[in-house]
Amino acid sequence: ASGLLRRSPGPALSLRHRGLGPRGAKALALSLMVDTSILTLDLSDNWLQGEGAAAVAEMLKENCYISAVDLSDNKLGVEGAKAFSAMLLENTTIVSLQLSGNEFDDQAAKYLADAITANSKVEILDLSYNMFGDKAGEILGTAIAENIGLKELKISWNHFHSQGAAALVKGLGSNIFLKVLDVSYNGFGNSGAAALGEALKANNVLEELNVRNNRISVEGALHIAAGLKENKTLKRLNMTRNPIQSEGCCGVLKALQANSGTGIEILDLPLTVFWQHSEEFV
Ligand SMILES: *[C@@H]1O[C@H](CO)[C@@H](O)[C@H](O)[C@H]1NC(C)=O
Ligand SMILES: CC(=O)N[C@H]1CO[C@H](CO)[C@@H](O)[C@@H]1O
Ligand SMILES: CC(=O)N[C@H]1CO[C@H](CO)[C@@H](O)[C@@H]1O
């Protein structure tokens, strides 16, 4: 690991799929502790587990040059979440953090929520492909409401369903920084969509929202439409792969038609048979 580091000039160190494991991570972390040239670190898919994550986290507490870290697909689990959260409570250099695919569950969410609440430096956070459920929705929602730094949050491919989804996006209403939110491939359903609609009414910073594949049907689409009617900032909305039917599509379009101040530039609706109403919107 330290040999690789010596042979890798430049500000970006990418060691994906190298099978580093916890031991490799420890060796690498030791070398990086005093390094001043590396600014971005990609250790995705290295089976680091909690132990390897702890070594990397300790290193990041000392190193004040690395600002972007990718630790996706490393089986970090609760132990990894705890180590990274502790690091984020101290360190203020990290701006971009990719932690997708790390088996984070509701217990891991508790640790991450502490970091999201207190850390105001991280702007890009990817927590997609984890195992967050409804409890995590509540905990992370509260953290999102209080966070004052995140601009982009990806939390797609988790297990947020109705109640948990609603709790998660409730925080969005009070958030005043987040510009991009990706909650695609969860199970929001209509109650999650209703909460999104409410959040859109209150939020005046969000620019991009992805709710692709969330079991949102007509009722949910109309809730989102009600939010769109009272929102100026949203520019890109992805509602594909939801059974919102022609009625839901028309509801969304009518809401935008009624809102002269809408900021929508790109709208992606599911393929559906709504051509029979299309003359109304030409
Ligand atoms: C919506 O998601 C699909 C699939 O990821 C993508 O092809 C499309 O470009 C997205 N639309 C928008 C507006 O982002
Ligand atoms: C740049 C940065 O945030 N580094 C800090 C990480 O945490 C340690 C321990 O609190 C500080 O000493 C560093 O300054
Ligand atoms: C929070 C916010 O800015 N809401 C606005 C969204 O857009 C509508 C209509 O343009 C305004 O009336 C709201 O004040």
Side-chain angles (χ1 to χ4, degrees):
S2 41
L4 281 169
L5 187 55
R6 271 194 297 277
R7 273 185 278 116
S8 158
L13 179 62
S14 176
L15 297 173
R16 335 183 81 186
H17 329 293
R18 300 291 182 106
L20 287 174
R23 286 187 63 212
K26 281 180 193 168
L28 187 68
L30 216 52
S31 313
L32 285 174
M33 200 78 95
V34 290
D35 186 275
T36 58
S37 62
I38 311 271
L39 306 181
T40 72
L41 177 65
D42 181 354
L43 297 179
S44 52
D45 189 22
N46 272 295
W47 213 278
L48 298 189
Q49 303 168 70
E51 206 183 332
V56 174
E58 283 310 309
M59 178 277 290
L60 290 172
K61 281 187 191 171
E62 300 299 322
N63 183 306
C64 51
Y65 294 88
I66 297 174
S67 65
V69 177
D70 188 343
L71 242 68
S72 306
D73 304 315
N74 270 300
K75 299 190 177 293
L76 301 191
V78 176
E79 200 194 328
K82 193 174 172 182
F84 258 68
S85 177
M87 180 275 290
L88 289 172
L89 291 175
E90 288 185 20
N91 184 292
T92 52
T93 313
I94 310 280
V95 175
S96 167
L97 185 57
Q98 317 280 325
L99 295 174
S100 70
N102 272 306
E103 299 172 359
F104 291 153
D105 56 11
D106 290 359
Q107 207 190 332
K110 274 193 214 148
Y111 293 110
L112 294 167
D114 289 343
I116 292 172
T117 304
N119 179 299
S120 58
K121 197 68 202 280
V122 175
E123 293 179 4
I124 300 173
L125 180 62
D126 188 348
L127 293 172
S128 48
Y129 293 93
N130 278 298
M131 305 179 328
F132 296 132
D134 291 344
K135 193 74 200 143
E138 274 172 42
I139 301 167
L140 293 174
T142 308
I144 290 169
E146 290 177 25
N147 174 275
I148 49 160
L150 277 180
K151 290 188 179 152
E152 190 176 320
L153 177 63
K154 291 191 174 156
I155 201 151
S156 58
W157 293 94
N158 275 283
H159 307 307
F160 298 117
H161 299 138
S162 338
Q163 292 304 98
L168 179 76
V169 294
K170 210 171 154 201
L172 185 63
S174 334
N175 180 289
I176 48 164
F177 277 84
L178 204 61
K179 290 191 186 303
V180 178
L181 178 66
D182 185 349
V183 292
S184 58
Y185 293 88
N186 279 289
F188 268 48
N190 290 334
S191 33
L196 261 178
E198 286 307 311
L200 285 176
K201 286 180 195 171
N203 178 293
N204 57 1
V205 282
L206 195 71
E207 292 179 3
E208 185 171 328
L209 175 63
N210 190 344
V211 292
R212 182 176 160 90
N213 206 326
N214 265 295
R215 286 191 238 131
I216 296 168
S217 60
V218 177
E219 186 196 329
L222 296 179
H223 281 299
I224 291 178
L228 290 174
K229 209 167 172 176
E230 293 184 33
N231 178 285
K232 283 179 192 156
T233 53
L234 198 68
K235 291 183 179 158
R236 290 171 296 276
L237 174 62
N238 197 336
M239 295 181 72
T240 52
R241 283 199 183 227
N242 285 292
I244 69 172
Q245 303 177 51
S246 57
E247 200 184 334
C249 284
C250 290
V252 168
L253 292 171
K254 277 183 179 149
L256 295 177
Q257 213 173 27
N259 178 357
S260 58
T262 181
I264 289 282
E265 291 168 1
I266 303 179
L267 174 66
D268 215 340
L269 294 174
L271 264 185
T272 181
V273 194
F274 77 105
W275 57 267
Q276 66 260 41
H277 300 279
S278 62
E279 286 106 70
E280 290 180 51
F281 303 106
V282 170

